[in-house]
Amino acid sequence: MKTKIFKTGLPIMAFLMAIAFAFATEKKETSEPEAIYYIMENGLCTSVDTECNRVSSIPCVYGAFSTQVFEKRLSNTACDVPLTHLPRN
């Protein structure tokens, strides 16, 4: 009787636990959302998707015209808190 329970019950329990653990796990998001920064463009404070690491005293710039990147948008026509950046090697 004891061996019959182990021969049939144990594999069934293992199978049911495998199914339960498969549904119990969840995928973690590994990528952090990019921070939204702002630049002054044509007199307006517009959002850009760029990376500034705030490590150095070198100004963080964006685009071909090397426009200063800001952290905060005060209004449609004003950006504040200039950001810095240390390029990665």
Side-chain angles (χ1 to χ4, degrees), residues 23-57:
F23 286 109
T25 60
E26 62 183 63
K27 184 178 179 181
K28 281 189 173 183
E29 293 288 328
T30 56
S31 61
E32 294 181 17
E34 291 277 330
I36 297 175
Y37 297 126
Y38 304 94
I39 61 168
M40 288 300 294
E41 185 175 52
N42 298 327
L44 297 174
C45 186
T46 56
S47 62
V48 293
D49 185 22
T50 188
E51 184 179 316
C52 297
N53 57 21
R54 303 175 192 178
V55 175
S56 176
S57 60

Side-chain angles (χ1 to χ4, degrees), residues 4 20-21 34 47 49 60 73-74 76 88:
K4 195 175 201 180
F21 287 134
E34 291 277 330
S47 62
D49 185 22
C60 184
R73 178 180 180 181
L74 298 178
N76 287 339
R88 295 180 183 159

